[in-house]
């Protein structure tokens, strides 16, 4: 069973990891989760009027039927594909685990279901099924020692800045390993 893909590895090279019919974005790093979902949206729907083929739901408020209806509908734009995102889906996954396990085994191939959750225990049947046929992206901040190297790469890929290693180290020392704050400073 392949391990989950780190967002730190996914974001610089998303073209190496095509979106699967079921994708899970999980972890506690908000910047990485937001960027991973944006990158998935772009990979699935492209640019232009693709927003018409995007449906977003809040996990606690959404009936499974609504999500499945959206997944069964063909998109008008974005190459005929739809992206259905369930945000804060921890409760949604717990409530509908059995149905989601069935869906992962026989997904609608032209559309993509993206679940955004805080935790994704790898020992569950659902996580194992997604690991074998889907795409799981772990959004966890790099360790404090690795953060300056991440910051240098992030500055180049997200802001087109050449940030010397010593500047990245000074920023991390002054601000701390808070990726969102570091990104704001780069902007």
């Amino acid at each position: 069973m392949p391990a989950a893909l780190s967002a730190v590895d996914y974001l610089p090279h998303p073209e190496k990891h095509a979106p699967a019919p079921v994708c899970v974005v999980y972890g506690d790093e908000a910047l990485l989760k937001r960027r991973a979902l944006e990158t998935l949206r772009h990979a699935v729907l492209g640019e232009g009027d693709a927003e018409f083929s995007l449906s977003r739901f809040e996990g606690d408020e959404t009936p499974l039927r609504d999500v499945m209806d959206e997944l069964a509908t063909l998109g008008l734009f974005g190459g005929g594909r739809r992206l259905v995102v369930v945000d804060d889906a921890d409760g949604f996954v717990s409530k509908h685990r059995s149905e989601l396990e069935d869906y992962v085994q026989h997904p609608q191939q032209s559309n993509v279901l993206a679940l955004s959750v805080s935790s994704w225990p790898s020992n569950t049947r659902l996580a194992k099924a997604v690991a074998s046929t889907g795409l799981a992206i772990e959004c966890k901040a790099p360790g404090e020692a690795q953060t300056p190297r991440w910051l240098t790469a992030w500055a180049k890929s997200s802001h087109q800045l050449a940030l010397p290693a010593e500047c990245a180290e000074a920023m991390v020392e002054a601000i701390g390993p808070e990726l969102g704050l570091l990104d704001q400073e780069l902007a």
Side-chain angles (χ1 to χ4, degrees):
M1 175 174 66
L5 179 63
S6 168
V8 172
D9 296 329
Y10 170 72
L11 290 172
H13 306 287
E15 67 281 356
K16 293 181 180 180
H17 310 281
V22 178
C23 299
V24 176
V25 177
Y26 70 97
D28 57 2
E29 177 47 57
L31 172 70
L32 295 178
K33 280 177 86 170
R34 186 176 71 251
R35 289 290 178 98
L37 287 168
E38 289 171 3
T39 302
L40 278 173
R41 187 204 61 76
H42 183 266
V44 173
L45 303 177
E47 294 298 326
D49 293 326
E51 293 301 315
F52 290 112
S53 295
L54 172 67
S55 298
R56 289 194 93 114
F57 296 98
E58 281 299 318
D60 290 339
E61 303 167 3
T62 304
L64 178 66
R65 178 187 72 251
D66 292 354
V67 173
M68 293 302 163
D69 285 349
E70 287 295 317
L71 288 167
T73 304
L74 290 178
L76 296 174
F77 303 97
R81 297 181 82 185
R82 292 191 65 75
L83 175 61
V84 179
V85 178
V86 182
D87 292 307
D88 300 321
D90 294 278
F92 180 83
V93 168
S94 294
K95 188 175 181 180
H96 304 293
R97 184 172 301 279
S98 176
E99 295 92 337
L100 290 169
E101 289 169 357
D102 291 341
Y103 182 78
V104 170
Q105 297 303 317
H106 306 287
Q108 209 301 341
Q109 292 295 318
S110 63
N111 295 329
V112 175
L113 171 62
L115 300 170
S116 176
V117 294
S118 296
S119 66
W120 190 247
S122 62
N123 62 344
T124 65
R125 283 194 314 232
L126 181 57
K128 290 175 184 177
V130 169
S132 66
T133 63
L135 177 63
I137 304 169
E138 181 181 26
C139 298
K140 178 178 151 186
E144 194 166 341
Q146 292 81 28
T147 302
R149 187 169 38 114
W150 170 86
L151 186 59
T152 300
W154 187 261
K156 184 176 181 180
S157 67
S158 294
H159 299 282
Q160 293 70 48
L161 296 172
L163 184 67
E166 55 274 358
C167 291
E169 290 171 8
M171 284 180 68
V172 171
E173 186 176 316
I175 296 169
E178 300 294 326
L179 303 190
L181 293 175
L182 291 166
D183 182 58
Q184 286 178 351
E185 288 299 317
L186 290 174

